[in-house]
Amino acid sequence: MTVTSAMSGRVVRPTSLEEAITACTQRPDARIMGGGTLVVAERALGISTTPAYLLLSGIPELHGVTPGGAAATGGPSRIGAQTTLRALLDAALSPMLDVALRSLATPQIRNRATVGGNIAERRPAHTLAPCLLALDASVGSAGPDGTRRRSIRDFVAEGLGEGEIIVDVALPARGGFQRFVRVAPRNGPGYAIASVAVSIDPTGRSVHSGIGGSGSTALPGTAADDFLAEAIDWASGAAPAGAAEEYGRLLAAACDPPTDDRASAGYRRHAIAVMGRRLIEAWNEEQQRG
Amino acid sequence: MDDERINLSLRVNGATHRIEDAWYFETLLSVLRYRLALTGTKQACETGSCGACTVLLDGRPINSCIALAADVDGDVTTIEGYSPADGSLTPLQEALLAAGDVQCGYCLPGMVLAGSAFIEEHPNATEDEVREGMCGNLCRCTAYLSMIEGIREASAR
Ligand SMILES: Cc1cc2nc3c(=O)[nH]c(=O)nc-3n(C[C@H](O)[C@H](O)[C@H](O)COP(=O)(O)OP(=O)(O)OC[C@H]3O[C@@H](n4cnc5c(N)ncnc54)[C@H](O)[C@@H]3O)c2cc1C
Ligand code: FES
Ligand code: FES
């Protein structure tokens, strides 16, 4: 391995989080770069002409996955912000993430793109945030005012402050049903038009979901989740007739989808309702099969 | 103006190259093609969509068009470094040739490099595995069936 010697006023490569935060304040016009798959593509497209880059690749504490323990008893898994999507896929933390990551961009991009870069701007089409909502994740960050850890719900609602860097994502141990589904222009990988991620954990008796592509950020399906957690008979592991339909309806009601060149708001809302219903039907079937 | 230029060092095909006066925003693709004259790496969409610019970084395929040269840390392999120096072909290249039907060939360096990493990890790959694993490489001449066949065949060798 060789390290590129590219230090200059316009390319800053700190080697610790502390240095990075200082660099952010000293060079507020620099764009933070995780893997650069979005930042560099935007430069090529003429969307961004940032005068400087702040590379996060040289900060060891931002790299890598530390798997947590078993559901219910174990501690959370920690995913450093600089973890590549490929490394996250290889870590096999959750069947939901497996499907979502395989639908995300291409193997080439996943070898370079990072978890921090995927969620930082809270773009509604980005694949990970709906899954992280469904997995009840939290986001750790550091900035000029110190460090903080927030639920992913708060993170998608509030975003990052000035000069704030994502440090890691923590996933609590969750068992049971975990699925991600989407509608997209093609079956192969790429941005979804709309997506739903749901996790139903019988041990913790909780339901969490995330909706992609159907608002200004990824959205939590809170009302639908609360409804279902109430409706499920956890002892027998069954949901009453009509619960799946109602779940889908409540998810769709939580959306504020755009109409754009890919689909209308009405299409997206309908797709969310159908995906939500089918996911709960699939869970029901799984319960019955035992 | 001056501070828009940087010096960097890159390890490509086993040799270390010192690049003087690169643009701070320059991509790996640009350095490979226009500063190191390694034009086997193709330039097409320049936005990470097509895979023509695929190179290996520490053995794994990446899109050189969306990798900032200043942020490349590791061993880069281009098609020039992958192909045997004596002009012979690797088993993967032979299998692709035998499967036939490659047309303009513009996608081929990227296909070969992505394919070489794919078959390393997927011995005896199924067609579905090849389709999924090679989804980052587009062929504008749509020679997909022969590519898939060639890579599948090579994975069985
Ligand atoms: C062809 C193509 C297809 C794609 N398909 C998909 C897809 O299907 N789904 C999807 O979700 N995305 C997709 N993307 C977008 C992008 O590749 C991914 O979202 C990727 O995860 C971004 O990560 P990165 O590390 O490359 O981000 P970068 O480009 O490095 O950064 C992206 C943004 O995040 C900020 N940032 C990065 N890391 C941090 C941090 N630790 N703290 C604070 N801010 C940070 C940067 O400043 C920048 O604003 C695609 C991109 C391309 C080019
Ligand atoms: S030229 Fe890089 S992916 Fe198309
Ligand atoms: S053979 Fe022409 S692009 Fe693939």
Side-chain angles (χ1 to χ4, degrees):
Chain A
M1 287 265 277
T2 50
V3 178
T4 45
S5 50
M7 282 316 96
S8 85
R10 290 178 183 267
V11 181
V12 186
R13 190 170 185 265
T15 54
S16 74
L17 197 52
E18 233 174 16
E19 256 177 59
I21 290 158
T22 312
C24 273
T25 6
Q26 282 169 352
R27 192 86 223 220
D29 58 345
R31 190 152 183 208
I32 292 174
M33 189 149 114
T37 60
L38 194 74
V39 166
V40 181
E42 285 191 352
R43 177 142 210 145
L45 289 164
I47 297 169
S48 157
T49 51
T50 180
Y53 293 110
L54 197 156
L55 314 181
L56 298 183
S57 56
I59 307 174
E61 63 205 277
L62 297 184
H63 287 269
V65 178
T66 316
T73 51
S77 299
R78 179 192 178 274
I79 305 160
Q82 278 295 108
T83 304
T84 63
L85 300 179
R86 164 68 194 260
L88 182 59
L89 189 56
D90 288 348
L93 295 180
S94 133
M96 170 196 290
L97 283 178
D98 186 75
V99 171
L101 286 164
R102 284 167 61 194
S103 87
L104 199 167
T106 63
Q108 282 93 326
I109 288 174
R110 295 196 296 263
N111 278 334
R112 197 96 184 128
T114 66
V115 170
N118 196 268
I119 63 172
E121 292 190 1
R122 301 180 294 145
R123 297 194 189 187
H126 280 197
T127 310
L128 280 185
C131 297
L132 299 180
L133 282 161
L135 294 172
D136 199 21
S138 65
V139 178
S141 52
D145 301 328
T147 61
R148 56 173 167 168
R149 178 164 295 285
R150 284 175 281 174
S151 71
I152 180 80
R153 282 159 194 252
D154 289 345
F155 179 82
V156 293
E158 303 161 0
L160 292 168
E162 201 61 45
E164 194 174 4
I165 295 171
I166 299 173
V167 175
D168 65 10
V169 170
L171 297 182
R174 267 181 91 73
F177 181 88
Q178 297 184 3
R179 283 236 188 128
F180 169 84
V181 288
R182 60 172 196 150
V183 285
R186 58 177 192 142
N187 286 335
Y191 292 111
I193 291 168
S195 64
V196 178
V198 174
S199 118
I200 303 176
D201 179 15
T203 319
R205 299 193 165 183
S206 68
V207 180
H208 289 294
S209 64
I211 306 164
S214 298
S216 56
T217 65
L219 300 167
T222 313
D225 298 341
D226 290 348
F227 156 77
L228 191 64
E230 263 310 294
I232 290 175
D233 177 356
W234 291 102
S236 69
E245 186 92 41
E246 178 63 5
Y247 185 81
R249 195 190 67 74
L250 287 169
L251 274 190
C255 297
D256 180 17
T259 290
D260 58 20
D261 57 334
R262 312 181 95 201
S264 68
Y267 176 88
R268 286 189 161 95
R269 206 173 277 116
H270 180 70
I272 296 292
V274 171
M275 288 191 284
R277 169 172 61 74
R278 287 185 187 165
L279 281 167
I280 305 312
E281 285 169 355
W283 172 76
N284 251 330
E285 261 169 47
E286 228 173 64
Q287 295 302 105
Q288 271 145 38
R289 277 203 310 268
Chain B
M1 188 67 184
D2 260 350
D3 80 329
E4 293 201 358
R5 302 290 192 141
I6 59 172
N7 297 333
L8 44 99
S9 90
L10 278 178
R11 216 170 147 69
V12 183
N13 300 331
T16 301
H17 298 269
R18 178 131 185 102
I19 319 288
E20 311 271 335
D21 281 341
W23 296 103
Y24 74 95
F25 51 80
E26 205 159 323
T27 63
L28 176 60
L29 174 64
S30 163
V31 170
L32 292 173
R33 285 182 62 87
Y34 304 113
R35 296 184 188 274
L36 299 179
L38 294 168
T39 52
T41 306
K42 297 304 176 200
Q43 175 171 8
C45 73
E46 290 184 77
T47 54
S49 306
C50 75
C53 66
T54 299
V55 298
L56 302 180
L57 179 60
D58 293 332
R60 290 202 169 159
I62 63 163
N63 305 102
S64 61
C65 69
I66 51 168
L68 195 75
D71 201 22
V72 171
D73 183 1
D75 284 307
V76 176
T77 306
T78 68
I79 194 69
E80 291 87 349
Y82 167 84
S83 304
D86 63 3
S88 64
L89 298 178
T90 65
L92 170 61
Q93 288 169 322
E94 272 171 5
L96 284 166
L97 197 62
D101 220 28
V102 168
Q103 293 173 46
C104 77
Y106 204 76
C107 64
L108 211 53
M111 285 276 180
V112 167
L113 289 171
S116 73
F118 171 82
I119 62 177
E120 262 320 285
E121 294 183 337
H122 298 85
N124 301 307
T126 62
E127 183 179 326
D128 282 350
E129 284 172 338
V130 177
R131 283 175 181 269
E132 181 176 348
M134 293 299 294
C135 70
N137 294 78
L138 302 184
C139 170
R140 288 158 183 81
C141 306
T142 68
Y144 290 111
L145 293 183
S146 53
M147 304 280 186
I148 291 165
E149 178 51 27
I151 290 166
R152 206 192 50 67
E153 170 65 33
S155 78
R157 292 192 181 182

